[in-house]
Amino acid sequence: MKKLLSVVFCCCLCCLGLATAQAAPSNKIAAVVNGRMISMFDVEEAARPELLRKKGEDPVKVRRDVLDEMILDMLLAQEAERLQISVSDAEVEQELLGMMKMRNMSREAFARQLSKEGLTPSSLRTRIKAGLLRQRLLSRQVGRSVVVSPEEIRAYYEAHRSSFVSGGGVNIGLLIYPPREKAEKWAADIRSGKVSFDDAVSRVSIGPNRENGGRIGVPESKMSPGLRKAVASMREGDVSGIFMMDGHKAQFKLYGVAPGGQQLSLEEATPQIDALLREPKARERYDDYIGQLRSRAVIDIRM
C-alpha cells in the first residue's frame, strides 16, 4: 500500500512539474528594451485581437509584429518620460467615450463588442494611452521641426485652385484602422480584389457604420486635409490610398461629390494647404526620429 501511495505521489509530482513547465513560457521574457522587460504574457495579451482578426496567417509572425509595435511603444514611452510628457486618465476616458459615441454604443454594448475582438476595456485603455502619448510626443519632437514656406503654399494654391471652395462635400465609405493593424497589407488586398472594401470595413474598422461599409457624408467644412487631398484626384468608386486621420491610418471609398460653392482666397485656403504639405514632411521626419531612437536603444529580443 505504501509503495502504491509512493507511486501515486510521484506521478502527481510529475504532473505538477509538467503543468509548471507548460505554464512557464507565459512568464518568460520576450524582449528587454533599455533595461525594461516585455513578458511573453504581455505579448500574448496584446496579440489576442490580432490573432482573431488574422486567422490563417502565421501566428508566429503576428506575435512578432505585435512585439515590434510594443517595443516601439516602450521606446516612445521612455522618451516621453524623459521629456516629462504625460497623458492623464481623464484624457484616456474622454477618448474612450468618443469611440463609443462614434460606434453609437452604450458602455455595456461596447464592452461586449470589445470581447468579440479579443479586447477588454482595460486593454483598450492601455492602447489608447500609448497612442495619445505617441501623438503628443511626436507632435513636440517631429511637428515643430517641419516647416512649410509661404512660397510652397502659394505654388500649391495656384496649381490646385479649383480644389479650394466653400460648401459642397463628399459621400464616402470610411475605413479607420486600429493602432496595431497592418493597414498596408489590407490596402494591398483591397487593391488586388482579394478582399472587398466593405468586407475590410466590417472586419477591422474602428470607424462608424461598420455594418454598412462605413458610409458617411462629410461636408466640405469638416473634411480633413488628408481627405481633401485624396478626393482631388479620385473618381466615383475609387478607393483611396492610406492617409492619416486623427492619428489613425485610414482609407475611404468615394461614392459621390457634391459641387462646391464659393472659391476660397489664398489666405482662406492657407491653413488647409499648410496641413496638406506638412503631412509628408512630418512622415519623413517621423521615420528619421524613430530610426534615431532605435539606434540609441539597447534592445534584446528573446522570442
Side-chain angles (χ1 to χ4, degrees):
M1 182 65 178
K2 289 182 179 179
K3 184 175 181 181
L4 177 59
L5 289 174
S6 177
V7 170
V8 171
F9 181 67
C10 289
C11 288
C12 289
L13 286 178
C14 289
C15 290
L16 181 60
L18 179 60
T20 302
Q22 289 175 334
S26 65
N27 296 322
K28 287 185 177 179
I29 297 172
V32 181
V33 183
N34 292 329
R36 295 188 185 178
M37 295 180 294
I38 299 174
S39 71
M40 278 300 302
F41 177 81
D42 293 333
V43 174
E44 289 297 329
E45 284 289 297
R48 186 177 295 117
E50 313 305 319
L51 291 168
L52 283 175
R53 283 197 294 266
K54 300 174 181 179
K55 289 180 180 178
E57 294 190 27
D58 181 3
V60 174
K61 183 180 183 303
V62 172
R63 289 185 178 92
R64 181 54 190 268
D65 289 343
V66 167
L67 177 60
D68 286 344
E69 281 297 312
M70 294 176 74
I71 289 171
L72 177 56
D73 283 342
M74 184 168 282
L75 285 174
L76 293 171
Q78 290 172 353
E79 186 71 357
E81 184 179 338
R82 183 182 72 82
L83 296 170
Q84 298 183 327
I85 298 172
S86 62
V87 172
S88 69
D89 291 341
E91 290 172 309
V92 174
E93 184 65 19
Q94 185 178 6
E95 186 75 11
L96 187 65
L97 290 173
M99 294 177 71
M100 286 188 281
K101 184 177 180 181
M102 182 180 287
R103 294 191 183 190
N104 195 27
M105 288 183 173
S106 66
R107 191 177 291 273
E108 293 74 19
F110 189 62
R112 288 194 296 270
Q113 181 60 39
L114 289 178
S115 180
K116 293 178 183 178
E117 297 173 9
L119 286 165
T120 64
S122 177
S123 63
L124 181 59
R125 281 187 175 89
T126 299
R127 289 188 174 201
I128 290 172
K129 187 170 186 176
L132 290 174
L133 198 63
R134 178 187 295 207
Q135 187 176 349
R136 193 159 295 176
L137 173 66
L138 295 177
S139 177
R140 172 172 165 177
Q141 297 301 100
V142 174
R144 68 182 182 183
S145 65
V146 176
V147 178
V148 178
S149 70
E151 291 75 21
E152 289 176 291
I153 291 174
R154 179 178 292 278
Y156 191 92
Y157 176 78
E158 294 300 336
H160 304 86
R161 183 187 292 265
S162 61
S163 299
F164 299 102
V165 293
S166 61
V170 292
N171 295 313
I172 62 173
L174 184 62
L175 166 54
I176 303 178
Y177 290 101
R180 292 197 175 102
E181 192 62 59
K182 293 296 182 182
E184 292 76 10
K185 172 72 164 53
W186 280 101
D189 287 346
I190 292 170
R191 191 165 52 248
S192 68
K194 185 176 179 180
V195 63
S196 71
F197 182 85
D198 284 7
D199 190 34
V201 171
S202 67
R203 290 169 64 182
V204 303
S205 181
I206 58 173
N209 297 331
R210 292 176 59 186
E211 299 78 11
N212 193 30
R215 297 194 185 203
I216 58 172
V218 184
E220 191 277 336
S221 61
K222 299 292 185 182
M223 289 171 65
S224 68
L227 178 57
R228 190 186 307 278
K229 182 178 181 180
V231 167
S233 59
M234 292 174 64
R235 295 175 297 179
E236 290 186 18
D238 286 350
V239 175
S240 76
I242 295 170
F243 63 98
M244 297 304 295
M245 184 175 184
D246 297 330
H248 295 278
K249 292 181 179 178
Q251 286 185 273
F252 70 91
K253 183 173 181 178
L254 182 62
Y255 289 108
V257 179
Q262 185 178 357
Q263 176 75 49
L264 296 179
S265 67
L266 172 60
E267 183 179 1
E268 292 169 328
T270 289
Q272 298 175 23
I273 299 173
D274 181 86
L276 287 169
L277 298 181
R278 191 175 294 275
E279 184 180 329
K281 293 185 177 186
R283 174 57 56 181
E284 183 179 349
R285 179 69 186 92
Y286 167 83
D287 292 339
D288 290 341
Y289 180 67
I290 295 303
Q292 291 172 20
L293 284 183
R294 288 187 181 277
S295 67
R296 295 198 303 262
V298 179
I299 302 173
D300 179 15
I301 297 175
R302 303 183 183 181
M303 66 173 283

